[in-house]
Each structure stands twice: as structure tokens, then as C-alpha cells.
Amino acid sequence: MKLWGQMLWGHLSGLRGRQGGIWGWACSTWQSHQPQAGPLSASGLVKHWTAVFEKRGIPEARESSEYIVAHVLGAKTFQSLRPVLWTQPLTAQQLQGIQELCNLRLQRMPVQYILGEWDFQGLTLKMAPPVFIPRPETEELIEWILEEVAQRPQAVGAQGSPLILEVGCGSGAIALSLLSQLPESQVIAVDKKEAAISLTRENAQRLRLQGRIQTILLDVTIEDSWTHLLPWGPMDLIVSNPPYVFHKDMEQLAPEIRSYEDSVALDGGEKGMDIISHILTLAPQLLKASGSIFLEVDPRHPELVSSWLQSRPDLCLGLVAVRKDFCGRHVAGPKDHGGGKLLTSWQPGNGESKEGSGDNSYLPEAPSEHITFN
Amino acid sequence: MNCHLSVWLFRNPSLSAYPQRHIYLHCQPFRQIKLDMGLRVLKQSRNHILHQLLNKNWSRRCHQDTRTLWKHRALQKYMEDLRKEYKALDQCLQKITVNEGERGSLNRRHAELAPLTAIYQEIQEAEQAIEELKSMCKSVNTQEEKQFQELALEERQIIGQKLNTLYNELFQSLVPKEKYDKSDVILEVTSGRTTGGDICQQFTREIFDMYQNYSCYKHWKFELLNYTPADYGGLHHAAARISGDSVYRHLKYEGGIHRVQRIPEVGLSSRMQRIHTGTMSVIVLPQPDEVDVKVDPRDLRIDTFRAKGAGGQHVNTTDSAVRLVHVPTGLVVECQQERSQLKNKEIALRMLRARLYQQIIEKDKCQQQSARKLQVGTRAQSERIRTYNFTQDRVTDHRIAYEVRDIKEFLCGEKGLDQLIQRLLHFADEEALVELLDGNLKSTK
């Protein structure tokens, strides 16, 4: 009986709520007695599914259920839902929707694929398996690129400037966030998979940036494939989040990644350098004299990259700097090398596992730790 | 014949000593009288009743107590000082010898004082006119002149009202404008320790809802930054950013401890039907511009899930919560409103800035020893400013000893709250003005 009474009240307040915005809210304060969040309310469902996920060993159980429930209720995060919605019982349709999505989660599908979208640098992008899901660390790469571009006035302002090449565009996260924050820029986005190219195109259209982006199906590892890019002229920037996982580490990746994301987007070969080395090889042919390359890489890469560059003096590239992300791990930044092209690399994640203790933070280093190599 | 006549006395400043000398008669419909500001004053026959009436208007206008009379004197003195300053500036600026830098600041001060002196001039003229009317009224004798009495009465009422408006204008112009009045605001609510049932947390939610409704009522934008619920539908703490027109000015006196007295309806305590007391605290922080508060990235410690280990391509995560710790001050701010970690970081940084800004303001204000009843800032934080008594259905603001009935309506955050806030603002303005005049009076004695 009690449950029924609560549901009735919930249903009534729901009606009032529908009459519009704040009034629905105000009405909730008329009750000096607030019913507890019933099991069929948003909060109740989050609790329920968190427990289910935890039991089945699904990582980030609480976050997953919160995002799914919020999504079904039309919000991006549970926190941003109107608080009154947390305790209202849900409709049968909503309950069914949540059930279906949570079942997908039980099969270890990443939340981003379940929701079909995710946010990156303030843009909401469509996500679809098996196209690579943008990582939060890459947001900082964008910030860094923007800082560097701002410091070079000649690169910005003129139409089509800067001209950026992105290798391995995936969902278009990097390309589109650069386009949206550099209004005069143009991007040539390249990927070897058709799924990625069409997803990038779709996201570009959603964000109405399709006029400034050119998407090309291209495999940079195929010899001389880059010559197809020559007609667009020399580039100001080459950016990439290339597959950089060491091949032997691939098996240790979580099921979310192994089973759903394209391994081609992750596997960088024995030392994770396969695609990186190809990008570095094609760069001198396509970059302007003052151009830069920005890469996201594994923490072990700066040394590998620098020694690889030493073996290829014909490229006239120099590793300029390495920058840590704001969690204190290695990131790389450019500096004026003088006499050669600039190479910058940025690397999140250090592959070491730390205990999740109370003090789980790093002191951030100064943004540009400048390391120059000859 | 009831001829409606209006008599216009055209005032010639040089002849002000002998007002009775020049009277021009115009035939005009009574209602079309327009009072030209500061120059034309209607004069009519003297009337003893008028005299009384005007006196009454006067005292009603100036709240009848000695403090106000004194204020009036202090006000006079202050205005005199301003007028002298204005004249001096006038002469000064006419000299060519003043250099460019000084000229700029002198011009500004001149521009500041111009409207004040103008209003003051008008007030003085209006007051003089009334004096003259009064004295004229005294010598009413013949029947003819008595006809004018009624007209004179109404005319003096009009002058009286004009004077009221002028006083209000002067009041508004004189009240020192707070530096941060126009800022947007971050409003934080925190529940107190629960003494009985969960009334503190319930109450916190009701108050937060009230401010949300108020923002809607005032057409401000209400952006939720943080919302941490407690069990049983209450609220533990929450924060929101409110932006719009002069938000800080309206909400600054809402900061402090709000107390609730009610009989809890859930839990064991409800059986005893005893009144429980709980508290919650409201903090109102003005939002700074980017330039006002500089945060050195080196002073920040940023906690995210990623600190726990591998990242980048090796990991898929949706945990984008961010916690910022400002190491020098120990301030901690959390945010998980957005899916994008970068956005959460931005929001947390914004909140941190507001808190630091508050600290900066505190340092400013600490220097001034204020005896005011209405305080803002950390001084006010621990003061119990308002009590909401549900059993007696009233809200009492302790600072101005003001009571409002109908708690339910009040908690809707519309007219009831707005009226209280207007009263608080008016009270604060008066206090500020008195302080200003007081200071001026003392400094030159």
C-alpha cells in the first residue's frame, strides 16, 4: 500500500511538474514531507544498477548507471538533472530503455557506444563502434595546440589558416574541436577506415563545420600514399593521436576496448612506433618550413622517438619538447629549434599502476618542459 | 464664476528677496500645470492650513524621529561641502594652467558632482518656494484671496511631491555604490548538523529551491554547479551560479545562518510532536572577472580518476569528475556536472576564483570597522540572520526586526522574498548614507 501511495503522489507531482518549468519545482516545496526516492525513481534505479554492475565486475559501475539513466531522462549527466526528477517514478518506456541500455553495459560495451554520443572539448560528437572513442587526455592536446597557434600570429587570421592535417581522425574529435576554436582554419582529415571517415563527416555536418574539413580515405603506411595530399599545399600543422599501444600490451586492455574498439586504432606495433614513424617520414614532404607536428604518444616514446630521429637525419626533424598533462604525466611541447622542422609529442598515461590512495595526485610540472635534441 | 486660474511666479534669482513683487497671471486649465524644474514655482495666497499640511508632509517624508533631523543637518552640511567643492572645481577647470593628467580626474569629479549639485539646487529652490508660500498664507485676509487657498493647497502638494522625488533622487545618488553590486554571484547552501530528524537537510533543499524560483522571478540565469543530496530527499550542499542584472546587490544580504523551527514529520522525533530547531547556511560570493583573481597553475593540485594509473589509449573511462585543491589557501572545489573533464575543470576553476575573490574582498572590508547591522562576507556567515518558524507560520529577519507571514508563499521565492529583500536594501542604503554623513560631519569638526 505504501508503495502505491508513494507512486500516486509521485505521479501527481509529475503532472504538476509538466505544467512548466519552475512551477513544478516550486510545488515540490509545498510538501514539508518529501517521500523517499522509491525504487522506480531515477535515484533508485541508479542504486539498483550500480549494485548489479558491481556484482558482475563491470568497472565504473556508478558512473555507468548514472550516465545511462540521465541519458534516458534527457540529460547529459546525472548531476545536471533537475533534482526533482531524481525522486519521481519513471514511465514504463523509460524503464524499458534503461533496461536495454544496462544490458548492453553488462556485455561490457563502453558507455559512449551505448549512449551513441560523447562530449569532447565542449562539442557533442556521435560515437559508433568500432570507431575509436576520444580520450579525455586528448582534450589537453587541443589546449596545447591552441596555445601554440596563438603565439604565432602569422599562422592565424588569413583565410584557410592554419592548414591542419590530421592523421587518423576517428570520430573527428581533434579535427572538429580545432575547427571550432580556430575559425579561419581548414583541416584535412585522413583515416584508413571507411567507418571513421563517414563518422567524421557526419559529426562535421552535425556541427556545421563540413565546409572547412576535407575527409580522405588514406592509409599513410602505404608507400607514397601521402602524395595524394600534395595538391592541398604545404601544411602549417600535422596533428595526430596515432595508434601507440605496444603490441604486447594489447591483450591487457579492458574488454571494453578489446571487444568493441577497432584494434587498428590502437595497435602501434612492437614498440608502438609503426604509425608514428610513418607520420614523421611524410611530415617533411607536407609541412611548411615553419610547421609543427603534434602527437599524442605513450610515456615511453620520447626516448624512442628521439633515437629514431637520430637514425634518420635526412628528415631534418628535431624533438623539441615534452609536456606533461595536468595529472603530471609526460606531455610534449614545441620550441623554436632553428634550422629544422619542429616535432612535438604529447603523452598521457604512464602505464604504471599506482595504488588508489587518498593522496592520488601529482604536482603538475611547468607547462613546457623544453627538451631539445640535435 | 469659478475661474480656474493658475498663477505663475517667474522667479528671477536676483529678486528672490522680494517674491511678492512680480506676479503674472495666465489663464490656463488647472490640470495643465507643469512644474518646470527649478525655475517656476506656483505661488498663491497664504493659508494657515497649508502651512500645517506642508509641515506634516515634511515630517512624514523624513520619518519622524530625531535621528532623521540630525541626519537632515548632516545632510545639509554634506551637500554644502559638495557644492563648495563643485564651485571650486568649476573655477579650477576654467584655468588653463591645469595640466592634462589632473584635468582628467578633475573633470571626472566635476561630472560626478554635477547631478548632485543640480538636485540639491532644485531642492533648495523648492524648499524656498514652500517657505514663501507658507509666509504668504499667513497673511490671507480678504475673501478673494481665500479663493486661491484651495488652489494653493493643491499646488503646494504638488511641490511637496516634487520635493519627495528630489529627495529620493538625492538619496539614491548619495548612497555609496558598492564595488561589486553589479556582479554575478555564486550561491552556496550547506545544511547544518541535524539535531532532530532531517529537518536541516529538508530545509536546505527548500531554501535552495526558493532561491532558484527567485532567480526565475527576477529573470536571472540559474546554473547548477553542484548538487549533493542527502538521504530522504534532503539536500546536503549545493551551489549555483546566478547571472543577470545586479544579482549581487540583491542577494548579498542573504548570506548567513538561516534557522528553522518546525515539528518534524518523519522519524522518531515526529511522534513527540516537539518543535525542533535546525540551521543551514547560505554563502553568497560575487563572481570576479578573469583579471581580478589570478590563479597560478602551479598552486593547483588537480585530482581526477586518471591520477590512479594508466591513461590515454590504454583506458576507456567516463569518470570526468574533477577536484581542485588550491595549495596555498587549502580551498577545495569539486565538480562533476559535465561529461567533458575539461569543462568540469573550467567550472571548478571558476568556483575557486569566486572563493578567492571573496577572500580578497574580506581583506578589503576588514580594514573598515563597520558598525552596521547589515553585514556581508565572512562576518555575516556565522550570524543567525533569519528564523523560519513553521508552527507559527512566520519568517523573522533579525537584522531589521521584520516579520513576514505565510511561510509557504515566502518559500516560493517570489513577491514575499522580494519585498523582504527590498526592505533590507533600503535599510542598508540608509545605514550606508548615515555612515557617510557621519564620517563627513566628524571629519570636519
Side-chain angles (χ1 to χ4, degrees):
Chain A
M1 258 306 122
K2 194 178 173 206
L3 187 66
W4 181 86
Q6 277 182 349
M7 282 199 63
L8 182 64
W9 178 90
H11 191 60
L12 282 173
S13 80
L15 276 174
R16 267 183 263 152
R18 252 173 257 139
Q19 269 160 24
I22 291 303
W23 250 109
W25 225 316
C27 278
S28 73
T29 68
W30 289 99
Q31 325 291 329
S32 55
H33 162 237
Q34 196 69 6
Q36 298 179 23
L40 296 175
S41 65
S43 304
L45 276 162
V46 166
K47 261 193 194 151
H48 168 73
W49 282 105
T50 305
V52 170
F53 289 153
E54 276 172 353
K55 218 171 175 188
R56 297 270 292 267
I58 310 286
E60 295 187 347
R62 186 183 57 88
E63 286 81 353
S64 304
S65 51
E66 278 182 353
Y67 278 123
I68 289 173
V69 172
H71 182 76
V72 169
L73 291 176
K76 281 191 176 180
T77 60
F78 197 68
Q79 279 286 313
S80 66
L81 263 178
R82 280 179 38 202
V84 70
L85 293 178
W86 290 348
T87 47
Q88 274 180 24
L90 304 179
T91 67
Q93 207 180 15
Q94 287 169 332
L95 291 172
Q96 172 133 21
I98 292 172
Q99 178 88 28
E100 285 171 8
L101 297 183
C102 286
N103 277 333
L104 290 174
R105 187 71 190 109
L106 283 171
Q107 292 163 40
R108 305 297 292 259
M109 185 184 273
V111 171
Q112 297 93 333
Y113 288 149
I114 295 175
L115 303 186
E117 61 174 35
W118 200 244
D119 290 356
F120 185 83
Q121 274 271 339
L123 304 174
T124 303
L125 302 169
K126 178 176 168 183
M127 297 284 131
V131 180
F132 181 78
I133 296 168
R135 307 306 202 230
E137 290 86 346
T138 316
E139 287 184 312
E140 285 172 70
L141 176 63
I142 304 295
E143 291 291 293
W144 196 27
I145 297 173
L146 293 173
E147 271 173 42
E148 289 299 323
V149 168
Q151 282 171 20
R152 288 189 244 168
Q154 71 274 16
V156 190
Q159 216 212 10
S161 164
L163 181 60
I164 304 169
L165 170 68
E166 187 191 351
V167 177
C169 53
S171 55
I174 297 179
L176 296 172
S177 47
L178 286 175
L179 277 179
S180 69
Q181 298 192 59
L182 295 170
E184 297 300 321
S185 59
Q186 300 259 357
V187 168
I188 300 167
V190 148
D191 201 286
K192 91 184 221 189
K193 287 297 180 89
E194 177 62 49
I197 293 290
S198 65
L199 187 59
T200 299
R201 276 201 197 124
E202 190 175 344
N203 277 323
Q205 268 168 356
R206 276 183 172 207
L207 299 168
R208 298 196 229 211
L209 294 168
Q210 72 273 30
R212 292 193 280 133
I213 184 171
Q214 187 76 4
T215 51
I216 300 170
L217 188 66
L218 191 85
D219 183 351
V220 298
T221 58
I222 295 175
E223 196 161 341
D224 293 335
S225 60
W226 54 266
T227 53
H228 291 107
L229 302 172
L230 281 172
W232 278 277
M235 325 276 177
D236 295 291
L237 295 172
I238 298 180
V239 309
S240 183
N241 180 6
Y244 60 71
V245 177
F246 286 37
H247 183 74
K248 61 182 195 287
D249 294 335
M250 289 291 290
E251 331 180 293
Q252 277 144 34
L253 298 178
E256 278 83 1
I257 305 176
R258 265 185 295 129
S259 310
Y260 291 92
E261 281 185 299
D262 194 343
S263 58
V264 161
L266 295 153
D267 193 338
E270 193 195 333
K271 291 202 179 151
M273 285 284 293
D274 288 0
I275 288 57
I276 295 174
S277 50
H278 276 102
I279 295 176
L280 295 177
T281 310
L282 62 80
Q285 332 282 355
L286 294 171
L287 262 188
K288 281 183 184 161
S290 56
S292 297
I293 309 162
F294 286 81
L295 298 177
E296 177 177 324
V297 299
D298 185 273
R300 292 164 279 187
H301 278 147
E303 284 181 28
L304 294 173
V305 166
S306 67
S307 53
W308 185 86
L309 283 175
Q310 280 174 356
S311 70
R312 295 290 306 269
D314 54 303
L315 295 175
C316 302
L317 286 175
L319 173 63
V320 174
V322 174
R323 189 190 262 205
K324 289 182 160 65
D325 68 14
F326 67 59
C327 285
R329 283 179 298 244
H330 275 283
V331 177
K335 187 182 167 185
D336 193 28
H337 187 77
K341 308 250 173 74
L342 300 174
L343 162 73
T344 63
S345 58
W346 183 83
Q347 50 196 313
N350 55 15
E352 309 145 35
S353 56
K354 302 262 171 192
E355 257 95 34
S357 63
D359 184 23
N360 56 355
S361 55
Y362 295 78
L363 282 171
E365 310 249 328
S368 306
E369 195 185 298
H370 299 292
I371 305 170
T372 45
F373 291 87
N374 273 324
Chain B
M1 180 177 89
N2 207 357
C3 171
H4 291 274
L5 293 174
S6 57
V7 177
W8 295 87
L9 179 76
F10 191 84
R11 282 176 59 91
N12 189 331
S14 60
L15 299 170
S16 55
Y18 310 97
Q20 285 96 329
R21 290 275 176 92
H22 304 259
I23 301 175
Y24 300 82
L25 285 172
H26 286 264
C27 262
Q28 263 193 3
F30 191 77
R31 285 299 153 217
Q32 274 181 22
I33 294 162
K34 289 178 197 127
L35 261 182
D36 192 5
M37 294 254 282
L39 279 186
R40 284 185 236 186
V41 174
L42 179 74
K43 244 172 68 168
Q44 281 292 2
S45 45
R46 304 135 275 186
N47 189 334
H48 198 57
I49 302 164
L50 260 176
H51 176 85
Q52 295 267 3
L53 205 70
L54 241 81
N55 261 338
K56 276 197 194 138
N57 279 341
W58 183 271
S59 46
R60 227 181 283 140
R61 190 191 313 133
C62 294
H63 332 276
Q64 307 158 22
D65 59 41
T66 49
R67 181 181 173 215
T68 320
L69 215 63
W70 170 86
K71 180 176 88 174
H72 184 52
R73 255 185 258 128
L75 184 67
Q76 294 278 28
K77 180 178 180 304
Y78 185 69
M79 291 313 298
E80 280 305 309
D81 287 348
L82 281 189
R83 216 228 310 244
K84 283 181 202 153
E85 190 183 342
Y86 185 75
K87 279 206 180 117
L89 274 177
D90 240 355
Q91 292 174 344
C92 202
L93 283 171
Q94 276 164 16
K95 289 188 202 152
I96 319 168
T97 52
V98 179
N99 71 43
E100 280 310 309
E102 273 175 35
R103 184 167 279 272
S105 56
L106 290 178
N107 263 325
R108 256 175 306 205
R109 183 67 180 149
H110 190 261
E112 262 174 37
L113 293 178
L116 288 175
T117 37
I119 296 175
Y120 188 55
Q121 179 118 1
E122 286 164 25
I123 289 177
Q124 283 192 316
E125 286 167 0
E127 284 179 5
Q128 261 185 318
I130 285 180
E131 284 303 313
E132 286 155 18
L133 276 173
K134 272 197 277 187
S135 54
M136 273 186 82
C137 281
K138 279 185 189 140
S139 54
V140 123
N141 284 320
T142 68
Q143 191 60 32
E144 262 178 9
E145 289 181 328
K146 282 203 168 88
Q147 269 188 353
F148 293 121
Q149 271 175 31
E150 286 167 29
L151 307 174
L153 195 79
E154 294 208 41
E155 295 314 314
R156 280 179 70 176
Q157 273 187 343
I158 291 182
I159 305 178
Q161 280 166 13
K162 196 83 218 172
L163 207 50
N164 260 338
T165 328
L166 288 174
Y167 260 98
N168 276 331
E169 266 188 60
L170 185 67
F171 190 68
Q172 287 302 315
S173 319
L174 280 182
V175 169
K177 295 281 176 283
E178 292 266 326
K179 233 166 77 173
Y180 316 104
D181 268 0
K182 295 220 166 88
S183 307
D184 297 338
V185 135
I186 288 187
L187 182 94
E188 289 183 26
V189 296
T190 315
S191 161
R193 284 281 153 85
T194 319
T195 52
D198 58 345
I199 56 167
C200 294
Q201 289 145 353
Q202 278 302 114
F203 183 54
T204 308
R205 191 180 45 79
E206 285 166 343
I207 296 289
F208 195 63
D209 287 350
M210 175 178 81
Y211 287 123
Q212 185 152 15
N213 294 339
Y214 188 62
S215 307
C216 187
Y217 179 71
K218 303 287 273 182
H219 307 293
W220 294 331
K221 190 172 127 192
F222 190 91
E223 208 184 301
L224 202 59
L225 295 177
N226 180 20
Y227 196 92
T228 309
D231 301 327
Y232 311 112
L235 178 57
H236 195 263
H237 67 269
R241 179 168 176 231
I242 308 178
S243 40
D245 205 15
S246 295
V247 181
Y248 185 62
R249 180 171 145 74
H250 288 84
L251 294 182
K252 60 186 173 182
Y253 297 115
E254 298 301 298
I257 307 281
H258 296 238
R259 185 171 68 150
V260 63
Q261 289 172 322
R262 86 208 293 181
I263 298 170
E265 304 211 9
V266 277
L268 286 169
S269 343
S270 67
R271 289 202 199 145
M272 319 231 297
Q273 289 293 300
R274 253 205 254 142
I275 296 178
H276 283 260
T277 307
T279 59
M280 59 84 70
S281 100
V282 173
I283 299 178
V284 176
L285 303 172
Q287 266 242 287
D289 291 328
E290 292 289 315
V291 289
D292 292 331
V293 182
K294 294 231 162 26
V295 179
D296 189 345
R298 272 176 278 222
D299 290 335
L300 289 179
R301 195 186 81 206
I302 304 174
D303 294 346
T304 66
F305 82 95
R306 290 191 280 139
K308 295 191 188 104
Q313 289 177 0
H314 297 87
V315 171
N316 172 292
T317 179
T318 51
D319 183 352
S320 52
V322 168
R323 174 152 47 114
L324 286 185
V325 179
H326 188 242
V327 177
T329 56
L331 285 174
V332 178
V333 179
E334 293 176 357
C335 180
Q336 46 176 356
Q337 282 295 115
E338 297 282 334
R339 291 198 289 219
S340 157
Q341 191 157 60
L342 203 70
K343 289 286 163 200
N344 281 335
K345 187 181 158 213
E346 283 173 17
I347 294 174
L349 203 55
R350 209 189 292 158
M351 282 193 65
L352 184 69
R353 277 219 165 82
R355 294 254 189 95
L356 289 173
Y357 192 52
Q358 178 75 351
Q359 287 187 349
I360 292 173
I361 297 175
E362 286 312 303
K363 277 197 214 128
D364 271 354
K365 280 195 189 281
C366 258
Q367 318 307 343
Q368 310 164 13
Q369 300 250 301
S370 181
R372 296 199 215 163
K373 280 195 182 145
L374 284 179
Q375 301 271 4
V376 291
T378 48
R379 257 209 199 138
Q381 288 323 331
S382 46
E383 295 294 314
R384 193 184 303 148
I385 59 166
R386 215 176 280 165
T387 299
Y388 300 69
N389 192 321
F390 280 79
T391 42
Q392 292 170 15
D393 195 30
R394 65 181 155 88
V395 180
T396 315
D397 194 301
H398 303 295
R399 299 164 294 185
I400 56 174
Y402 183 70
E403 251 182 43
V404 182
R405 294 269 152 183
D406 197 356
I407 282 194
K408 286 201 171 135
E409 202 270 318
F410 190 81
L411 286 177
C412 275
E414 291 182 1
K415 263 232 166 83
L417 180 59
D418 198 35
Q419 276 176 1
L420 176 58
I421 288 182
Q422 293 300 333
R423 275 192 175 259
L424 285 168
L425 291 182
H426 193 75
F427 191 83
D429 284 348
E430 278 186 20
E431 276 195 320
L433 191 56
V434 167
E435 217 177 55
L436 175 73
L437 298 178
D438 201 3
N440 179 261
L441 204 64
K442 285 188 182 150
S443 67
T444 46
K445 265 192 176 150

